[in-house]
């Protein structure tokens, strides 16, 4: 095992991001659910505000754990063309999965944030954090959605990732920080001693704790996300 749990991984990731500590333009965004405990430790160590950025994987029909793409806040959709071609997945099937996941994405937005609108990202240094990169589809969707808000810089930060996915994200983001790229990869959970599922309640508690620890940032009005093309 490379990491004891997500909290330890977050503290080690924060050490690798130490040069960004105490910047007034920095914000840390955790991908739910597992990325939020990691992001909490990063935000606390860097003295930065924390928010959640909701992304949903699009699973192959009949094999939901196998990603054929992802959707993110702002209407962004990323598809894995290789998987779609290999499995010959029909457009209608993709749309049905996307519609189902869009409902869950909206539910999570309400559950995690309530009526609080997303943080303003324009002109800021954004650190996007997850607990690892497998296919990288969800993180790619997150990067593209964040890019719409014209941040100064996007940093993707993860404790562990598949080498191919890390190479892809290094091209998508302005900077990639990945502590380990083991090969063969086997999956994110393989590299944690404790990889228990993070609950909605735990995400809410961490966001509330972070909000008490760090002064609130400026907010944009609810519904202010720009729409992206597909």
């Amino acid at each position: 095992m490379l990491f004891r749990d997500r909290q330890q991984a977050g503290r080690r990731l924060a050490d690798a991001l130490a040069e960004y500590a105490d910047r007034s333009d920095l914000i840390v965004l955790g991908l739910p659910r597992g990325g939020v405990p990691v992001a909490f430790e990063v935000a606390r160590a860097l003295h930065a505000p924390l928010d959640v950025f909701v992304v949903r994987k699009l699973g192959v029909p009949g094999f939901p754990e196998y990603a054929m793409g992802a959707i993110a806040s702002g209407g962004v959709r990323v598809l894995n063309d290789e998987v779609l071609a290999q499995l010959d997945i029909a457009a209608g099937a993709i749309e049905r999965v996307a519609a189902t996941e869009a409902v869950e994405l909206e539910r999570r937005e309400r559950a995690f944030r309530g009526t609080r609108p997303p943080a303003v990202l324009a002109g800021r240094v954004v650190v996007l954090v997850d607990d690892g990169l497998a296919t990288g589809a969800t993180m790619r969707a997150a990067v593209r959605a964040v890019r719409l808000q014209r941040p100064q810089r996007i940093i993707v930060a993860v404790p562990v990732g598949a080498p191919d996915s890390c190479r892809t994200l290094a091209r998508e983001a302005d900077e990639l920080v990945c502590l380990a790229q083991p090969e063969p990869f086997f999956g994110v959970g393989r590299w944690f001693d404790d990889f228990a599922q993070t609950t909605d309640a735990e995400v809410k508690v961490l966001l509330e704790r972070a909000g008490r620890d760090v002064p609130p940032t400026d907010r944009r009005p609810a519904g202010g996300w720009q729409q992206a093309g597909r």
Side-chain angles (χ1 to χ4, degrees):
M1 303 300 174
L2 292 172
F3 307 101
R4 183 171 62 249
D5 52 26
R6 291 181 177 90
Q7 289 72 27
Q8 185 212 32
R11 292 190 289 271
R12 289 177 57 183
L13 199 54
D15 289 341
L17 292 161
E19 65 183 287
Y20 292 100
D22 298 310
R23 288 184 59 133
S24 61
D25 58 354
L26 185 71
I27 185 167
V28 178
L29 301 181
L31 272 59
R33 290 182 295 235
V36 176
V38 183
F40 177 83
E41 298 294 338
V42 172
R44 183 164 64 173
L46 300 185
H47 308 122
L50 172 70
D51 205 349
V52 64
F53 196 82
V54 184
V55 185
R56 290 294 297 170
K57 176 174 62 180
L58 300 180
V60 171
F63 301 92
E65 293 304 312
Y66 191 31
M68 61 179 177
I71 57 174
S73 299
V76 172
R77 181 187 300 187
V78 177
L79 296 176
N80 187 324
D81 294 331
E82 183 177 346
V83 171
L84 296 178
Q86 181 182 12
L87 300 180
D88 193 24
I89 301 173
I94 298 171
E95 293 302 325
R96 286 190 291 273
V97 173
T100 299
E101 294 301 336
V103 172
E104 177 61 12
L105 186 148
E106 292 174 7
R107 184 199 70 78
R108 290 194 179 195
E109 287 273 13
R110 293 191 300 270
F112 298 149
R113 189 177 285 112
T115 59
R116 180 174 57 87
V120 174
L121 304 181
R124 305 187 74 172
V125 176
V126 177
V127 183
L128 275 168
V129 179
D130 204 355
D131 54 13
L133 293 175
T135 67
T138 52
M139 184 61 82
R140 287 175 60 207
V143 170
R144 293 182 184 187
V146 168
R147 188 77 71 187
L148 292 173
Q149 297 194 54
R150 302 182 185 280
Q152 177 189 153
R153 186 173 181 80
I154 298 176
I155 304 164
V156 169
V158 294
V160 62
D164 286 346
S165 298
C166 289
R167 284 190 287 269
T168 298
L169 263 301
R171 294 190 294 268
E172 293 270 351
D174 298 305
E175 181 180 350
L176 171 72
V177 177
C178 180
L179 302 183
Q181 299 180 39
E183 198 167 19
F185 184 64
F186 297 121
V188 175
R190 166 67 176 78
W191 307 104
F192 289 78
D193 184 42
D194 178 1
F195 199 65
Q197 185 176 25
T198 304
T199 66
D200 286 1
E202 288 170 333
V203 170
K204 285 192 67 175
V205 167
L206 290 174
L207 292 174
E208 290 167 0
R209 284 180 59 191
R212 292 193 297 268
D213 294 343
V214 179
T217 57
D218 292 336
R219 303 284 175 177
R220 67 163 45 187
W225 293 92
Q226 300 179 41
Q227 292 297 312
R230 298 190 183 278

